[in-house]
Amino acid sequence: MAARAHSPTPRPDPAGAVAEDLALYRRKFQQRLPASLDELQGPARGVVDLPLHVAWSGMTSYDLDNPRRRMGLYRTVLHEGLREDLTSLLNQDVLLELWPTLRRLVGRTVRTVWEDAFPQLAARGRAAA
């Protein structure tokens, strides 16, 4: 009887799995981006009530006239919002104003995706550094 060649069980490649997960995570945010910052036509003042799919945990109502609440809304919408949420809840001028600080409060993937897509955000981030 001939001995069968035994091939070792392939070991999982954690680095490859992590890279694949990061690529999927990045793609999730890229697919949600508006084509242009001009599409961000949300309110600049007043109270905004977020839909449940965006504010699934925690606050749902934000007063944009309160700087901390405004920053919290933008952080939440950037992370959880769909394209329609981004365009209807975020305002281009407010995002540009907040970006130098906001970019440090959002995750690295969100920051990178937005700055790669919109050079004006990257420029504001570099100017603030």
Side-chain angles (χ1 to χ4, degrees):
M1 200 173 202
R4 291 191 317 198
H6 177 63
S7 60
T9 305
R11 291 185 178 180
D13 176 13
V18 168
E20 185 176 328
D21 287 348
L22 285 174
L24 289 171
Y25 192 57
R26 177 182 294 248
R27 202 167 15 246
K28 172 181 107 170
F29 290 110
Q30 288 169 330
Q31 292 170 346
R32 296 176 179 185
L33 289 174
S36 163
L37 290 182
D38 293 333
E39 292 182 28
L40 304 180
Q41 296 294 315
R45 301 193 58 118
V47 175
V48 174
D49 294 315
L50 296 181
L52 186 58
H53 69 272
V54 175
W56 48 269
S57 173
M59 287 184 57
T60 59
S61 188
Y62 292 82
D63 182 356
L64 296 178
D65 297 318
N66 178 312
R68 291 188 74 176
R69 300 290 184 243
R70 182 175 52 241
M71 192 71 72
L73 176 130
Y74 272 69
R75 183 174 182 221
T76 299
V77 174
L78 287 171
H79 277 276
E80 303 297 336
L82 303 175
R83 181 177 306 199
E84 302 79 36
D85 302 314
L86 297 171
T87 59
S88 67
L89 296 170
L90 302 182
N91 178 283
Q92 175 183 349
D93 294 334
V94 174
L95 179 65
L96 288 168
E97 174 191 327
L98 297 179
W99 192 254
T101 301
L102 184 61
R103 69 184 302 275
R104 294 189 314 254
L105 301 176
V106 297
R108 182 184 319 202
T109 301
V110 171
R111 178 178 60 245
T112 302
V113 164
W114 279 80
E115 288 185 349
D116 285 352
F118 305 111
Q120 57 270 58
L121 291 178
R124 289 188 65 82
R126 284 191 303 274

